[in-house]
Amino acid sequence: MTLTTSLVLLGCGNTGATSSGTDTGISSGISAGTSESSSSSDDGVLFDMGADDGATASADDGGGDDCVPENLPNPNATLQGTVFAPNMQLPISGALVYLTDDPVEPVPDGVYCAACVELACDEHFVLTGPDGSFSLPAVAGTGQQLVVQKGQFLRVVDLDVEPGTNVVPPTQSNLPGSWNPAAGMWIPRIAVYDADPDRVYNVLAKFGLGQVSANGELVQGTEQFTLIDGADQGAAMDDLAAMSQYHIMFVPCATTKYWASAPTVPASRAQNIRDYVEAGGKWYATDHSNEYIKEPFPNYQDFHNPGMPDLQPSYQSISIVVDTDLLAWLQALPPALKDIGGGNPTLNMLPAITTQLNYSGIEAIHDVIVQDDMGQDVNVGHHSWVEGPCSSCSNPNQQRPMAISGQYGCGRMMYSTFETSSVAHQGLNPQELVLLYMILEIGVCFEEPPPPPPPIE
């Protein structure tokens, strides 16, 4: 069973009508599949990591059309626990949790096209709820494997299950914080431009992919990802083979501000970005690096004032969380994570949040229609996660998408008008939480082969 997640970050700023796309490439729920199993039935479940309602689902709900509850062994045990981020504080919604006696395929070491996890009809599974909790029906026995997976975060733990209730400690159910296959742990291979002030690497460290200093910054040298020197003038994006080592790449806002050629994107570089995403990569850019969404994927969105989309001054916006699963997760966070103090915005106004340091405006996002292998229309255009007004735009009252993601071939791209971690602070503020949620969600698998990418206009 394999699952793919790939990502690249680009970024940031200096100290009309909106059409909502439906990110149909992010499928959800359970569908019938076929597995080679030793059970009496050859029917299986193709399991996708996403869940539209954020609720816990299980195989004994019936699975797909070819899977029936009678195929499941009667449980005499339950596993209960919570899936946390590697930092052991942030709960993870929509994570897949299951028990198996079969070998678990590892996450491929490099960019690839995501295929959904395939489970036999006789295996119980659940998705964690918005608060990260799960209750998994099980059959008692020794020598089993507990599998926890969200995107390319994968943990496999040997487990003996006792009859009755088994409480799984968080150290056995949390997402791992390092790539250590010998210990049953895989994480996405991530590359991040070492930008300033849009310090995405601090957010990743707080997620648990590095040590965090007393003032809330990455302790250099502890990161479980690759930092790219911003002085490379974009050379990392001119080497597709090097890009393909990573599942995710980040180009934050301030990545390009010292480049002599910025904001020009050479045609060969834009093609590399498209090729990377088409192969399964995940690509993320923010505010003043809007050219790294605009040029490779021009027919997906329009920026305000396209001749000069880099806005000054930055603006603050009372924004609305418009994605229901994201909202449910934010609502389920414990109080200490909703209000981290230090003068940071809080989550006490949901569905409204305050987004700060926005340096661009999105005029519109578009439906992008392609045909799947059955000849059916599929909209791979941007999905809007957060929307709000842009006071630095010509129409300051227009509600605009501020955090978006779309699909291109096997991969996906993300963009936000706001930057993150520009001022050092402990904890994760609302827009940083939105960023982390989007990173996890765009890594969900494809239930069917993804449609070919659209022509670039």
Side-chain angles (χ1 to χ4, degrees):
M1 55 205 94
T2 58
L3 194 65
T4 305
T5 305
S6 302
L7 200 57
V8 179
L9 299 182
L10 307 176
C12 145
N14 301 327
T15 305
T18 299
S19 173
S20 296
T22 56
D23 196 359
T24 54
I26 301 180
S27 56
S28 63
I30 306 164
S31 70
T34 301
S35 69
E36 296 180 4
S37 170
S38 59
S39 66
S40 58
S41 171
D42 289 334
D43 297 330
V45 174
L46 276 178
F47 195 86
D48 190 286
M49 310 309 295
D52 287 339
D53 59 5
T56 299
S58 66
D60 51 0
D61 292 330
D65 293 338
D66 297 329
C67 289
V68 293
E70 287 77 9
N71 289 334
L72 286 165
N74 291 325
N76 61 353
T78 303
L79 301 184
Q80 294 182 345
T82 300
V83 175
F84 288 99
N87 66 7
M88 302 296 288
Q89 297 176 347
L90 197 65
I92 302 298
S93 66
L96 173 63
V97 183
Y98 66 97
L99 281 170
T100 185
D101 295 323
D102 297 327
V104 179
E105 291 188 23
V107 173
D109 193 359
V111 70
Y112 65 104
C113 192
C116 286
V117 174
E118 190 170 7
L119 301 180
C121 277
D122 61 354
E123 292 180 321
H124 294 275
F125 58 83
V126 293
L127 286 174
T128 56
D131 63 352
S133 65
F134 64 89
S135 181
L136 174 66
V139 177
T142 60
Q144 302 188 65
Q145 295 179 106
L146 175 66
V147 182
V148 178
Q149 191 163 19
K150 180 74 175 184
Q152 286 176 305
F153 288 91
L154 171 65
R155 177 184 288 276
V156 182
V157 177
D158 293 334
L159 192 68
D160 295 335
V161 179
E162 300 291 336
T165 299
N166 296 251
V167 177
V168 180
T171 53
Q172 291 186 318
S173 63
N174 70 303
L175 299 184
S178 62
W179 179 282
N180 187 354
M185 298 188 294
W186 292 263
I187 64 173
R189 295 296 200 185
I190 299 173
V192 185
Y193 265 95
D194 188 357
D196 183 25
D198 192 358
R199 307 181 187 100
V200 169
Y201 51 82
N202 287 342
V203 180
L204 297 177
K206 293 176 187 180
F207 186 70
L209 299 182
Q211 295 179 23
V212 181
S213 68
N215 65 342
E217 296 185 294
L218 168 70
V219 176
Q220 296 279 337
T222 68
E223 63 273 5
Q224 299 298 308
F225 47 86
T226 298
L227 282 172
I228 302 174
D229 188 345
D232 82 337
Q233 298 285 300
M237 294 178 278
D238 295 330
D239 186 343
L240 181 59
M243 294 170 67
S244 298
Q245 300 175 68
Y246 304 108
H247 303 120
I248 302 172
M249 293 184 69
F250 291 88
V251 184
C253 164
T255 297
T256 61
K257 69 176 182 176
Y258 299 118
W259 296 359
S261 60
T264 301
V265 180
S268 59
R269 186 178 298 170
Q271 187 61 53
N272 276 352
I273 294 168
R274 285 191 291 270
D275 290 345
Y276 169 79
V277 177
E278 182 181 356
K282 305 302 183 290
W283 183 258
Y284 178 69
T286 64
D287 53 71
H288 275 192
S289 283
N290 47 63
E291 64 268 23
Y292 283 99
I293 289 290
K294 178 175 179 285
E295 297 303 323
F297 310 105
N299 43 327
Y300 281 73
Q301 69 286 303
D302 297 329
F303 282 95
H304 178 70
N305 191 21
M308 181 55 69
D310 297 349
L311 298 179
Q312 293 287 356
S314 68
Y315 62 94
Q316 179 173 296
S317 181
I318 302 299
S319 311
I320 302 298
V321 178
V322 295
D323 181 87
T324 56
D325 291 342
L326 169 58
L327 178 59
W329 178 68
L330 293 173
Q331 290 172 328
L333 292 177
L337 298 182
K338 289 182 176 179
D339 184 355
I340 59 176
N344 285 278
T346 73
L347 294 176
N348 295 332
M349 301 186 301
L350 290 172
I353 60 173
T354 299
T355 60
Q356 301 174 309
L357 298 173
N358 292 271
Y359 280 97
S360 61
I362 298 173
E363 199 71 15
I365 56 177
H366 304 296
D367 291 344
V368 179
I369 305 299
V370 294
Q371 281 72 45
D372 62 17
D373 57 2
M374 301 296 291
Q376 301 296 312
D377 285 352
V378 178
N379 180 15
V380 297
H382 284 307
H383 172 75
S384 181
W385 301 82
V386 176
E387 298 180 355
C390 167
S391 59
S392 291
C393 297
S394 56
N395 182 352
N397 297 316
Q398 177 182 332
Q399 287 290 113
R400 304 169 183 269
M402 306 181 75
I404 55 178
S405 64
Q407 179 186 332
Y408 186 83
C410 280
R412 299 183 177 100
M413 57 287 199
M414 298 168 51
Y415 178 79
S416 69
T417 60
F418 48 79
E419 59 189 53
T420 57
S421 195
S422 298
V423 178
H425 60 275
Q426 283 286 352
L428 293 159
N429 64 31
Q431 62 204 61
E432 293 166 344
L433 291 168
V434 168
L435 164 65
L436 288 171
Y437 185 89
M438 290 174 63
I439 290 171
L440 289 169
E441 289 303 310
I442 67 170
V444 299
C445 63
F446 289 99
E447 180 180 306
E448 302 290 343
I456 296 301
E457 301 172 0

